[in-house]
Amino acid sequence: MTFTIGLAGITGKFGRLLALRLLKNPEVTLRGYSRDSSKVIPAISSSPKVQLFQGEAYDETAIKAFVKGCDVVICAYLGDDTLMVEGQKKLIDSCEASGVPRYIASDWSLDYTKLQLGDLFPKDPMIHVKAYLETKKGVKGVHVLVGGFIDPLFSPFFQIWNPETATLKYWGDGTEIWEGTSYENAAEYTAAVAVDPTATGVQKFLGDRKTIKEIAGCFEKTYGIKPQLECLGSLSDLKTRMHEVRSQDHSNVLKYMFLFFTYYWLNGSTFVGPQVDNQKYPDVKAETWEDYMGRHTLEELQNAFMALK
């Protein structure tokens, strides 16, 4: 069986990884949508299996041409709330009008379906899009959830890993579970879902589930060093802190967004597991925290997220 897959946002980090993964499947032909086709990397654009479409996120004519004839459309947008909601609605409406049977929303990190609007504000668009898909009679929504992404956790953004002092900083008592899946592994599972016509609704996958103390153990086993562990306070302290920072400098979203993500990642309200759908696709191997470290030197770890291509 051959599959024609549309991928909107093909030039982004995750979009590129997903496109490369999809192209490994001999039964897949790929349509890519972006604002600037010249930014599609040669490894993708040079493939005879790829057809590129250029247009803005709200260009209905360009989007209609892009989705026509697709078996499934995947959105890999990452941007502000307007793009994530209204941009996806344009894609969904075109899928509905063109008879595309499935739409894979731009979801992935954390199980936002358990949250209320306003809890974890960066996930509010996903709540809106899921509700919008549920109003459609033709196109069926698909929501791939993978816990938190492993890659950015070690970047400066989350302020968890300090390579200069070999310290892992954490909130809570150290027994909280970090559910993690790497970008690469998430792309593998998403690619498997894309070519499975029976996969609709919420699909849950995980690379691994470990506490910060267990993650420190992975460091020691992989790199031969025992990281220091520094507790920054309880989860209650974290909740207080994140709201304080937000109220003091509301416009500086990057100053507090990571605190909100950390809180909802750890407090149990957004867990994807432990019951997941990994077994549906036995050809995809779950990448554990230790596996992920094994792919990167200690020196590479902090910048591994930014180096994704």
Side-chain angles (χ1 to χ4, degrees):
M1 182 176 181
T2 59
F3 297 89
T4 300
I5 298 175
L7 176 55
I10 196 170
T11 58
K13 285 184 185 295
F14 190 76
R16 292 195 300 268
L17 288 173
L18 180 53
L20 292 169
R21 176 57 53 180
L22 287 166
L23 288 174
K24 291 183 178 181
N25 188 329
E27 297 180 330
V28 166
T29 58
L30 185 63
R31 293 179 169 207
Y33 190 77
S34 64
R35 288 179 296 178
D36 185 352
S37 296
S38 69
K39 293 184 177 179
V40 178
I41 61 173
I44 298 170
S45 62
S46 63
S47 171
K49 298 169 60 177
V50 173
Q51 183 179 8
L52 297 177
F53 295 78
Q54 183 168 299
E56 296 296 326
Y58 312 104
D59 185 338
E60 295 181 10
T61 301
I63 292 170
K64 183 178 180 181
F66 158 63
V67 306
K68 187 178 181 180
C70 287
D71 296 300
V72 60
V73 167
I74 308 169
C75 180
Y77 288 166
L78 180 62
D80 62 25
D81 286 4
T82 302
L83 173 67
M84 298 307 291
V85 177
E86 301 305 323
Q88 289 202 77
K89 284 183 178 181
K90 293 294 185 186
L91 290 168
I92 293 165
D93 289 346
S94 288
C95 286
E96 179 83 352
S98 299
V100 178
R102 292 187 302 144
Y103 176 86
I104 300 178
S106 186
D107 291 334
W108 293 289
S109 64
L110 309 187
D111 188 353
Y112 64 88
T113 67
K114 302 172 185 178
L115 298 175
Q116 300 297 314
L117 285 170
D119 286 346
L120 180 55
F121 62 92
K123 305 306 291 186
D124 283 354
M126 290 69 182
I127 296 174
H128 287 298
V129 168
K130 185 174 185 294
Y132 189 72
L133 275 163
E134 289 169 355
T135 69
K136 299 301 178 181
K137 296 181 179 180
V139 63
K140 293 182 179 179
V142 186
H143 307 277
V144 178
L145 306 180
V146 299
F149 279 121
I150 290 175
D151 313 68
L153 185 69
F154 297 113
S155 74
F157 176 73
F158 270 96
Q159 301 180 22
I160 297 293
W161 168 239
N162 184 336
E164 294 181 2
T165 61
T167 301
L168 285 169
K169 301 179 181 182
Y170 67 96
W171 295 89
D173 61 16
T175 64
E176 293 82 5
I177 295 293
W178 290 87
E179 291 190 333
T181 304
S182 70
Y183 263 58
E184 291 267 10
N185 209 196
E188 290 179 292
Y189 280 116
T190 305
V193 168
V195 296
D196 178 2
T198 69
T200 59
V202 174
Q203 307 287 311
K204 299 182 177 183
F205 307 99
L206 276 181
D208 203 2
R209 307 177 87 239
K210 279 186 170 60
T211 67
I212 194 69
K213 294 177 181 178
E214 291 171 330
I215 292 170
C218 294
F219 261 83
E220 187 170 9
K221 185 174 181 180
T222 304
Y223 301 123
I225 66 165
K226 186 173 183 178
Q228 300 180 63
L229 290 172
E230 180 183 339
C231 180
L232 300 173
S234 67
L235 288 187
S236 179
D237 294 332
L238 171 57
K239 186 176 183 180
T240 299
R241 177 62 179 162
M242 69 194 199
H243 285 292
E244 283 179 348
V245 176
R246 188 181 189 184
S247 64
Q248 292 166 0
D249 196 0
H250 191 275
S251 63
N252 191 354
V253 177
L254 294 180
K255 195 172 182 179
Y256 54 83
M257 184 167 66
F258 75 97
L259 295 172
F260 276 79
F261 261 106
T262 302
Y263 177 74
Y264 284 101
W265 194 344
L266 292 178
N267 75 355
S269 64
T270 63
F271 280 170
V272 170
Q275 301 302 316
V276 291
D277 298 312
N278 292 29
Q279 73 285 350
K280 290 175 61 176
Y281 308 112
D283 290 341
V284 180
K285 180 183 180 295
E287 184 174 45
T288 66
W289 290 92
E290 189 172 324
D291 292 336
Y292 179 80
M293 293 176 195
R295 285 201 289 119
H296 302 282
T297 66
L298 186 61
E299 293 73 25
E300 292 172 342
L301 196 61
Q302 186 183 33
N303 297 313
F305 174 61
M306 295 306 298
L308 278 173
K309 295 181 180 179

